[in-house]
Amino acid sequence: MNNDAPIALILGGTGRSGSLLADALAQRGITPRAAARSGADVPFDWDDPATHPAALDGVDRLYLVTPTARISYASQVAAFLDLAEAAGVRHVTYLSVYNADQAPTEVDIAAVEADLASRQGITHSILRTSWVMQNFADFHLPIIDGVLMVPSGGGREAFVDAADIAAVAAHTLVDPETHAGAVYSLTGPQALTFQEVADIIAAVSGRPVAYHDLDQEMWINGALAAGVPADYAVMMRWLTGAIIVGRGATPTGDVEKVTGRPATTFREFAERNAHAWTPEAK
């Protein structure tokens, strides 16, 4: 590894896009520094400011992932960005959400975007991502007893592969000047219903998968009962509600625009992760 290479701090470094971003950066001459509460290169906890200065030491670019499973964090992020700017960070790539400008006012997604746009000492790129395909292969949207249960009203979503998010993020962090001020809406190449998702998973895994269009409030209440913070219900209601009323993500082509290759289809993702849905995986 080149000790003189620029250093990129990757928040959420053990997460779905962050864990893939490190390799992409290293291959292109950037030294990645993964940060997370545990299991990363450096410890980082949003609720423990004492972990922040060491994580930022020598860093000049940042992959910003805000606190998860909460909706109010703008002041916390602003304080960290002040520290980052003072420490020498000159570019931030922010992992945002598709249609962030339409988020409920209680959710601080748009506030963080506005904060970045107001800063004169750093450039920024914003990645507004649709629902991530990996949701179906981990604990976020599990298939329980052969049934996928999510409220959708039959609406569609252009699910995106986290690997494509990481690929776009790598481009923005390797060449910040080219992507300064850019807002990319990252989607897959197809808008699918959850029934179509279930059918694809069934086809590649060789096991029956049914889809049940669960009542939205029932779904949210079940998540809260399982331990999701109560105020996060606002976010869950917005994300599923957009699909229910027909405003789910639609293909944008931004992945191909930035990377020069087509976005991953859900079928390609499912074939790559078929083991996640086999009986042996359970």
Side-chain angles (χ1 to χ4, degrees), residues 48-75:
D48 183 4
T51 64
H52 299 179
L56 286 165
D57 184 34
V59 169
D60 75 340
R61 58 201 73 191
L62 166 68
Y63 184 57
L64 176 62
V65 178
T66 52
T68 57
R70 68 178 80 171
I71 61 173
S72 299
Y73 45 73
S75 60

Side-chain angles (χ1 to χ4, degrees), residues 88 91 96 98 104 108 136 140 148 163 173 187 232 280-281:
H91 180 82
S96 186
Y98 189 87
D108 282 345
F136 298 97
H140 289 82
L148 173 64
L173 290 164
T187 72
Y232 200 68
E280 291 78 11

